[in-house]
């Protein structure tokens, strides 16, 4: 077991552990924060694996943008900030069984398949540098890259269309009196503080989010 | 010649279609012309009346004119055939089939020419009569068209040169008969009678069709001439089977025992229909077909003996039943069965010419009697004999015409029935004594005895019921309303015209050796006739106000119901079939349906079980999908 | 370097994501779980890229693409979640049951 192995196992423990906390915690905001930990340790793993550029992109986009987006989502949906006991649905037991079974099958198969697979990490140093990846990206993969930019544009437009209330079907918005909000268990004071018009601010925020993406 | 015959067949056929589709339209087109004619017509009343009625009646024109043309054509054919007798044939095309080919063609010989002429004459008389009789009927157009179609079909049967084409005409007649009997279908009894007639004749037709197949397969051709040419070479069993099967159809169509029950009920149709179909033509088709295929029957004496037995039973039974009827038309219906049995008896004892002679004579006088009965019924307003009486003064033309008809029916000289009936009886007498031509098997002598004895008895009974009907209708106390008077001219004159052949047709037989009556047999049969008629007259003379049939006493209801054959059939056939049908319905409802519905319900319940998982929660679905993936991967890992 | 360690880590992270997708009630938490799964895949891609010393660096480039796609997906997913929230006033996955036939169990519109 080399040093790299030990480091990667330690980082893996952190990654998987924080991932389990993400899906197991009883506070939504904590879940987002645990996600940051998980992504960060994963970025560290990439560094250990000599993929530096990927690691920085991971930190920038995942930790910097995605998690922030998710936190915005948490706030905009008036999710309970504090501890709440009903974050898990009734499907929990089944989910646990399926997840454990998947893990068991995957781990068993992978361990049996790659028991003797080693690779020289030192020889790989430099293959993940931004120069190498950039060259590869803009030489070999330039066409998929451009296609991806079109996809991003489409996603941008889609997000705007979905979130703006003044375009699209009118029937929903012109409902004269909005249906009474169902009373939810664990509603925090945030949920009751809703006094202003719901949609205008959401749209602006989302548009800004998209720009950020 | 053949072209003439084909045109004669096709004219009524075309008339049927044109009348069915365009009849009322023609009426509309003709109305202005008729109005014009009315204004310019001469002042004499009759011509004016004709101008007023006839030209505006499109269906009538379409019905009458083609059949009149056909009559002329068949008359030409008959005359030519009389002067130069030979078989003329023509085949339009031979249709190749998978097995035996059949040809579409016509055969004209003396027999078919004469019968075709009879058919056309009677049909013409009936069509003219119907113009007046059915004047107020809203469905006259389709009625006349069906009569035309029927006439065409009958002519096809008569003139066809091929057994399958003959069968086509045979079946078209059957369906026309169904429609015409059921003309007043809104009456429950009428529609039932139509169905009964259709089903009973159909029962016989099945046998008929198979008979055609047997003969056609044995001769490897359906051409009648070819089949008859092959007859001497055919195995005896085949011949007997084929002819016996044909006899089924003949018994059905010609209303012979045991398939005769439809004919009396068929009187529910309009009277001209009864005259055309159930007296003069359709029922004669059966006898005609036997005559047409007579060589085949001659080589199968067994079939002729069976025919003789059937004829004997039908002859006497129907005559006795006719004696006891209350309904004028049913009297005539039973007498039709009885007279057709005479023809069948004549065929059974080996005289084809005699049978055809009687067919012609009977066609004339029975059409006359039916049309006359129609006049009487129109005048009286009822079918019942009890409502008639003393009509002699009020309806002289009808009275005299029907007198001729009854005389012919009873077999009194010099009317036609006398000659034709005696020909048959003489031939029966010959059959008892001597065998026929050398080259054919002998007809059993007992057949001759049977036909002779029963024929003589029937002659007496026939005379009795003819006399009784005649007396009760036209003599005695007047029971009708005072305004009963002669029928319209269009109805009166066909009746009178038919009286001529009914009276003089018999003398034509004097020209032939086969058909000339023999003196001794004539005397014997006349004695029987006089005995029957005289007895009835004596009984009636005692009290002219009463029906002479009262002397039958307790037997009368039995005879009136036609020996309760219908009741026997009800018990033997109808009830078991109905019970079986109900059983099938029951099984269908409680077993088959239950199985089907049970399957549906079971599947629903099973689906309900599965629907528990489809609760609308996507997480459940994804759980299922992923669990499935895990299981599949597991299976792949484990088994590979 | 032993290949099994990062690969097993990726498998466990993926399973954690599976559990989160299946068990979480809040739609935003479900989205987070999806991100976990995507990251597990990314780890795999990088590891195998390194193992085979791919000349085109397909694994790493694909990782970049997946990251971009994930960002777009989160953006769209959140837009959808917000739309649902606006219409239903809830983002609880197990209360959005109009897919099923039992109307009374789902949230009526």
């Amino acid at each position: 077991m080399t040093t790299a192995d030990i480091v990667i196992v330690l980082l893996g423990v952190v990654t998987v552990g924080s991932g389990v906390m993400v899906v197991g915690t009883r506070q939504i905001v904590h879940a987002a924060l645990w996600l940051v930990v998980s992504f960060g340790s994963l970025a560290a793993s990439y560094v250990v694996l000599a993929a530096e550029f990927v690691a920085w992109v991971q930190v920038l986009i995942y930790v910097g943008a995605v998690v922030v987006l998710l936190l915005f989502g948490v706030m905009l949906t008036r999710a309970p900030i504090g501890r709440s006991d009903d974050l898990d649905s009734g499907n929990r037991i089944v989910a646990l069984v399926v997840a454990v079974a998947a893990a068991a099958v995957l781990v068993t198969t992978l361990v049996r398949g790659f028991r003797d697979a080693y690779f020289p990490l030192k020889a790989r140093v430099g293959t993940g540098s931004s120069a190498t990846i950039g060259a590869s990206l803009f030489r070999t993969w330039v066409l998929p890259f451009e296609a991806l930019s079109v996809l991003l544009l489409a996603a941008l437009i889609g997000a705007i269309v979905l979130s703006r209330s003044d375009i699209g079907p009118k029937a929903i918005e012109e409902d004269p009196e909005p249906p009474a909000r169902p009373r939810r268990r664990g509603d925090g004071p945030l949920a009751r503080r809703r006094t202003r018009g719901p949609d205008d601010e959401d749209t602006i925020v989302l548009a800004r989010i998209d720009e950020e993406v | 010649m053949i072209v003439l015959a084909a045109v004669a067949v096709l004219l009524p056929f075309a008339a049927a279609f044109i009348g069915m589709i365009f009849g009322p339209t023609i009426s509309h087109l003709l109305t202005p012309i008729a109005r014009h004619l009315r204004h310019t017509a001469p002042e004499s009343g009759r011509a004016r009346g004709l101008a007023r009625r006839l030209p505006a009646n499109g269906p009538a024109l379409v019905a009458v004119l083609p059949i009149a043309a056909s009559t002329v054509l068949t008359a030409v054919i008959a005359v030519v055939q009389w002067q130069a007798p030979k078989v003329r044939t023509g085949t339009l095309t031979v249709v190749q089939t998978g097995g035996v080919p059949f040809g579409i063609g016509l055969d004209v010989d003396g027999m078919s020419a004469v019968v075709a002429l009879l058919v056309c004459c009677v049909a013409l008389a009936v069509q003219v009569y119907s113009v007046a009789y059915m004047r107020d009927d809203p469905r006259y157009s389709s009625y006349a068209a069906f009569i035309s179609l029927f006439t065409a079909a009958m002519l096809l049967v008569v003139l066809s040169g091929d057994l399958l084409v003959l069968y086509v005409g045979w079946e078209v007649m059957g369906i026309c008969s169904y429609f015409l009997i059921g003309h007043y279908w809104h009456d429950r009894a009428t529609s039932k009678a139509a169905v009964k007639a259709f089903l009973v004749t159909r029962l016989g037709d099945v046998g008929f069709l198979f008979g055609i197949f047997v003969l056609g397969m044995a001769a490897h051709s359906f051409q009648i001439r070819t089949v008859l040419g092959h007859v001497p070479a055919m195995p005896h069993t085949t011949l007997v089977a084929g002819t016996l099967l044909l006899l089924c159809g003949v018994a059905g169509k010609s209303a012979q025992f045991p398939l005769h029950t439809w004919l009396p009920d068929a009187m529910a149709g309009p009277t001209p229909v009864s005259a055309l179909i159930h007296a003069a033509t359709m029922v004669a088709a059966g006898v005609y077909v036997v005559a047409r295929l007579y060589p085949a029957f001659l080589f199968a004496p067994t079939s002729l003996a069976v025919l003789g037995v059937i004829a004997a039973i039908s002859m006497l039974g129907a005559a006795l039943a006719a004696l006891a009827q209350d309904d004028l038309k049913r009297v005539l219906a039973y007498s039709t069965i009885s007279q057709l049995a005479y023809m069948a008896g004549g065929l059974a004892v080996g005289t084809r010419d005699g049978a055809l002679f009687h067919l012609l004579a009977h066609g004339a006088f029975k059409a006359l009697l039916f049309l006359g009965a129609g006049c009487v019924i129109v005048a009286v307003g009822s079918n019942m004999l009890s409502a008639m009486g003393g009509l002699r003064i009020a309806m002289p033309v009808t009275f005299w015409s029907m007198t001729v008809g009854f005389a012919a029916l009873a077999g009194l000289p010099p009317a036609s029935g006398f000659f034709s009936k005696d020909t048959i009886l003489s031939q029966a007498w010959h059959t008892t004594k001597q065998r026929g031509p050398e080259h054919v098997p002998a007809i059993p002598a007992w057949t001759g005895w049977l036909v002779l004895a029963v024929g003589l008895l029937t002659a007496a009974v026939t005379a009795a019921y003819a006399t009784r009907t005649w007396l009760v209708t036209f003599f005695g106390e007047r029971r009708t309303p005072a305004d009963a008077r002669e029928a319209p001219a269009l109805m009166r004159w066909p009746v009178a015209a038919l009286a001529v052949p009914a009276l003089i047709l018999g003398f034509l037989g004097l020209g032939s050796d086969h058909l000339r009556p023999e003196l001794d047999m004539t005397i014997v049969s006349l004695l029987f006739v006089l005995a029957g008629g005289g007895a009835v007259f004596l009984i009636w003379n005692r009290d002219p106000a009463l029906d002479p049939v009262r002397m039958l006493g307790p037997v009368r209801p039995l005879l009136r119901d036609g020996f309760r054959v219908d009741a026997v059939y009800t018990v033997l056939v109808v009830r078991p079939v109905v019970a079986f049908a109900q059983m099938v319905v029951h099984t269908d409802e409680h077993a088959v349906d239950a199985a089907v519905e049970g399957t549906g319900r079971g599947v629903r319940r099973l689906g309900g079980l599965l629907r528990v998982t489809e609760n609308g929660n996507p997480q459940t679905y994804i759980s299922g999908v992923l669990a499935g993936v895990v299981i599949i991967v597991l299976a792949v890992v484990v088994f590979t | 370097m032993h290949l099994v360690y990062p690969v097993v880590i990726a498998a466990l992270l993926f399973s954690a994501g599976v559990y989160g997708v299946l068990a979480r009630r809040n739609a935003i938490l479900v989205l987070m779980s999806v991100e976990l799964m995507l990251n597990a895949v990314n780890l795999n891609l990088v590891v195998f890229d390194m193992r085979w010393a791919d000349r085109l660096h397909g694994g790493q480039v694909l990782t970049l693409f997946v990251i971009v796609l994930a960002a777009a997906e989160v953006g769209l997913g959140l837009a959808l979640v917000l739309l649902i929230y606006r219409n239903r006033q809830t983002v609880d996955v197990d209360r959005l049951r109009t897919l099923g036939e039992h109307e009374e169990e789902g949230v009526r519109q």
Side-chain angles (χ1 to χ4, degrees):
Chain A
M1 215 176 188
T2 59
T3 321
D5 281 348
I6 295 169
V7 175
I8 207 105
V9 168
L10 288 177
L11 283 174
V13 170
V14 174
T15 310
V16 175
S18 54
V20 170
M21 288 311 289
V22 169
V23 297
T25 181
R26 293 176 189 271
Q27 298 193 38
I28 292 184
V29 181
H30 287 192
L33 295 178
W34 280 118
L35 201 62
V36 172
V37 174
S38 181
F39 288 165
S41 63
L42 206 58
S45 301
Y46 291 155
V47 172
V48 173
L49 287 167
E52 313 146 29
F53 185 65
V54 176
W56 290 122
V57 172
Q58 168 90 2
V59 171
L60 279 175
I61 295 192
Y62 264 121
V63 183
V66 172
V67 174
V68 173
L69 252 180
L70 289 169
L71 281 172
F72 266 115
V74 170
M75 283 177 229
L76 288 174
T77 54
R78 312 283 190 276
I81 296 298
R83 189 183 170 82
S84 62
D85 290 330
D86 61 343
L87 286 180
D88 288 336
S89 65
N91 200 32
R92 200 175 152 187
I93 308 297
V94 180
L96 197 62
V97 170
V98 170
V100 168
V105 170
L106 281 174
V107 169
T108 321
T109 320
L110 291 171
V111 167
R112 282 173 67 182
F114 299 113
R115 197 180 298 141
D116 307 320
Y118 294 91
F119 65 96
L121 202 55
K122 278 207 174 103
R124 304 283 187 268
V125 174
T127 55
S129 70
S130 44
T132 326
I133 298 298
S136 178
L137 197 61
F138 289 106
R139 279 194 190 124
T140 318
W141 304 98
V142 68
L143 207 60
F145 182 82
E146 294 300 331
L148 203 65
S149 68
V150 176
L151 184 130
L152 271 180
L153 181 68
L156 179 73
I157 296 171
I160 291 172
V161 168
L162 281 176
S163 52
R164 275 186 65 170
S165 56
D166 53 344
I167 53 175
K170 293 287 176 200
I172 301 168
E173 292 306 323
E174 285 169 0
D175 202 346
E177 41 178 313
R181 288 177 57 202
R183 173 153 184 84
R184 299 193 316 186
R185 285 163 291 159
D187 255 357
L190 192 68
R192 297 207 187 93
R193 229 167 44 208
R194 184 188 167 99
T195 49
R196 59 190 156 70
D199 303 315
D200 39 5
E201 192 206 36
D202 294 0
T203 315
I204 294 162
V205 168
L206 211 74
R208 198 181 299 144
I209 290 165
D210 280 316
E211 280 168 21
E212 206 168 335
V213 169
Chain B
M1 188 71 180
I2 289 298
V3 175
L4 288 188
V7 171
V9 174
L10 288 176
L11 269 177
F13 188 68
F17 275 87
I18 295 172
M20 185 82 77
I21 299 167
F22 298 114
T25 319
I26 295 172
S27 290
H28 279 298
L29 292 177
L30 285 177
T31 309
I33 305 172
R35 200 173 293 134
H36 178 72
L37 274 180
R38 202 178 308 153
H39 290 308
T40 56
E43 284 307 307
S44 89
R46 177 165 300 163
R48 196 159 173 186
L50 213 65
R52 185 175 302 136
R53 266 205 309 277
L54 247 188
N57 195 342
L61 280 183
V62 170
V64 172
L65 293 183
I67 191 67
S70 284
T71 312
V72 172
L73 289 175
T74 47
V76 169
I77 291 169
V79 167
V80 171
Q81 194 63 250
W82 185 37
Q83 283 172 345
K86 65 170 181 157
V87 178
R88 294 171 170 86
T89 62
T91 304
L92 178 66
T93 176
V94 175
V95 180
Q96 294 297 334
T97 62
V100 183
F102 66 94
I104 297 175
L106 301 181
D107 274 11
V108 178
D109 56 7
M111 179 175 77
S112 57
V114 171
V115 176
L117 181 59
L118 167 82
V119 170
C120 282
C121 287
V122 174
L124 179 61
V126 165
Q127 284 283 27
V128 172
Y129 183 92
S130 301
V131 172
Y133 188 87
M134 307 291 284
R135 193 173 50 209
D136 300 327
D137 193 295
R139 282 178 290 120
Y140 169 72
S141 183
S142 74
Y143 162 87
F146 273 122
I147 297 246
S148 293
L149 184 60
F150 173 84
T151 313
M154 181 68 193
L155 286 173
L156 189 64
V157 168
V158 171
L159 295 170
S160 164
D162 191 281
L163 282 173
L164 284 184
V165 178
L166 185 150
Y167 185 72
V168 169
W170 183 273
E171 288 296 350
V172 172
M173 276 202 291
I175 193 71
C176 285
S177 163
Y178 167 76
F179 283 126
L180 288 170
I181 294 170
H183 184 71
Y184 302 125
W185 46 264
H186 33 75
D187 181 12
R188 185 99 181 100
T190 310
S191 65
K192 272 177 141 174
V195 171
K196 184 176 176 185
F198 191 68
L199 288 182
V200 172
T201 52
R202 176 47 40 106
L203 193 63
D205 289 348
V206 175
F208 189 76
L209 184 59
F210 279 88
I212 287 178
F213 286 156
V214 168
L215 289 183
M217 293 299 168
H220 205 72
S221 166
F222 286 116
Q223 297 250 316
I224 291 176
R225 273 171 300 119
T226 321
V227 169
L228 295 183
H230 273 81
V231 159
M234 281 187 199
H236 185 70
T237 323
T238 310
L239 212 50
V240 171
T243 47
L244 279 179
L245 283 169
L246 283 180
L247 280 186
C248 295
V250 170
K253 215 58 146 188
S254 283
Q256 297 297 295
F257 179 83
L259 298 179
H260 64 280
T261 53
W262 64 272
L263 187 60
D265 289 352
M267 293 304 126
T271 309
V273 170
S274 307
L276 176 66
I277 300 188
H278 309 121
T281 53
M282 178 169 113
V283 290
V287 174
Y288 174 81
V289 165
V290 176
R292 193 76 198 269
L293 300 171
Y294 203 56
F297 283 88
L298 270 184
F299 279 87
T302 319
S303 301
L304 283 184
V306 170
L307 183 62
V309 172
I310 290 174
I313 296 172
S314 310
M315 207 186 290
L316 190 57
L320 286 171
L323 187 58
Q325 296 303 313
D326 298 327
D327 180 326
L328 178 55
K329 283 178 75 177
R330 286 178 82 91
V331 172
L332 295 175
Y334 275 110
S335 90
T336 301
I337 298 176
S338 174
Q339 296 300 310
L340 285 164
Y342 260 113
M343 300 170 209
L347 291 167
V349 296
T351 168
R352 181 173 80 160
D353 294 344
L356 275 175
F357 190 26
H358 197 55
L359 192 157
L360 295 178
H362 172 254
F365 72 70
K366 188 51 66 66
L368 158 66
L369 282 175
F370 262 115
L371 295 182
C375 294
V376 170
I377 288 165
V378 167
V380 174
S382 163
N383 282 9
M384 288 296 148
L385 283 172
S386 54
M388 301 168 185
L391 290 170
R392 181 177 30 133
I393 313 293
M395 312 177 71
V397 177
T398 310
F399 168 65
W400 283 111
S401 306
M402 285 188 78
T403 305
V404 172
F406 278 123
L409 175 62
L412 279 176
S416 55
F418 165 74
F419 295 97
S420 54
K421 191 186 294 180
D422 278 340
T423 314
I424 292 171
L425 292 177
S426 305
Q427 179 63 34
W429 174 241
H430 289 310
T431 309
T432 60
K433 289 186 303 190
Q434 67 200 35
R435 48 168 306 150
E438 282 305 311
H439 61 280
V440 296
I443 299 166
W446 60 265
T447 314
W449 281 115
L450 183 69
V451 172
L452 180 62
V454 177
L456 285 173
L457 266 179
T458 308
V461 180
T462 307
Y465 73 72
T467 315
R468 175 234 173 187
T469 313
W470 182 64
L471 288 173
V472 170
T473 309
F474 292 107
F475 290 87
E477 191 182 318
R478 199 179 159 125
R479 301 187 191 86
T480 52
D483 58 345
R485 51 195 183 79
E486 194 64 275
L490 273 179
M491 289 167 68
R492 201 159 63 224
W493 293 116
V495 177
L498 279 171
V500 178
L503 190 61
I504 62 164
L505 204 59
F507 292 104
L508 292 179
L510 295 178
S512 157
D513 284 339
H514 297 295
L515 303 179
R516 194 176 300 137
E518 291 162 22
L519 192 63
D520 42 358
M521 185 48 67
T522 310
I523 291 169
V524 173
S525 75
L526 256 185
L527 281 177
F528 273 91
V529 168
L530 289 177
V536 168
F537 181 77
L538 288 178
I539 296 167
W540 175 80
N541 204 24
R542 259 193 276 164
D543 188 352
L546 293 179
D547 193 340
V549 180
R550 67 183 186 276
M551 299 307 285
L552 285 174
V555 194
R556 189 177 172 194
L558 176 68
L559 293 182
R560 189 172 50 209
D561 295 344
F563 296 95
R564 307 244 158 86
V565 177
D566 272 337
V568 173
Y569 286 172
T570 306
V571 172
L572 285 185
V573 180
V574 177
R575 281 202 199 129
V577 168
V578 169
F580 184 67
Q582 276 164 352
M583 204 184 79
V584 168
V585 168
H586 187 83
T587 315
D588 183 51
E589 278 175 358
H590 292 90
V592 178
D593 273 9
V596 172
E597 284 169 12
T599 311
R601 251 179 246 129
V603 167
R604 269 188 93 83
R605 255 178 233 139
L606 207 63
L609 284 182
L610 289 176
R611 218 162 71 166
V612 173
T613 62
E614 304 296 306
N615 54 6
N617 185 356
Q619 279 185 326
T620 323
Y621 302 166
I622 303 173
S623 305
V625 170
L626 288 177
V629 169
V630 168
I631 288 169
I632 289 170
V633 170
L634 203 62
V636 170
V637 169
V638 169
F639 292 110
T640 56
Chain C
M1 181 171 188
H2 205 309
L3 186 62
V4 166
Y5 299 126
V7 166
V8 167
I9 289 165
L12 291 177
L13 196 59
F14 184 83
S15 301
V18 166
Y19 170 78
V21 168
L22 297 187
R24 287 309 217 175
R25 169 178 273 168
N26 192 305
I28 293 170
L29 286 174
V30 172
L31 277 177
M32 292 182 192
S33 308
V34 172
E35 296 305 318
L36 283 183
M37 290 161 77
L38 284 168
N39 273 289
V41 172
N42 282 351
L43 183 56
N44 256 351
L45 284 171
V46 170
V47 167
F48 280 97
D49 182 276
M50 287 305 164
R51 186 198 170 183
W52 298 116
D54 186 14
R55 213 161 40 76
L56 301 176
H57 306 291
Q60 292 183 59
V61 173
L62 204 56
T63 305
L64 292 177
F65 288 174
V66 169
I67 289 171
V68 174
L69 280 176
E73 173 244 322
V74 168
L76 269 180
L78 277 178
L80 285 171
V81 168
L82 286 180
L83 198 61
I84 291 170
Y85 178 74
R86 209 150 57 198
N87 289 325
R88 306 279 171 95
Q89 273 71 43
T90 179
V91 288
D92 288 356
V93 175
D94 57 351
R95 292 177 66 182
L96 302 169
R97 290 204 174 182
T98 38
L99 275 180
E101 282 186 35
H102 306 292
E103 191 68 17
E104 66 279 0
E105 288 179 17
V107 176
R108 282 168 215 257
Q109 188 168 333

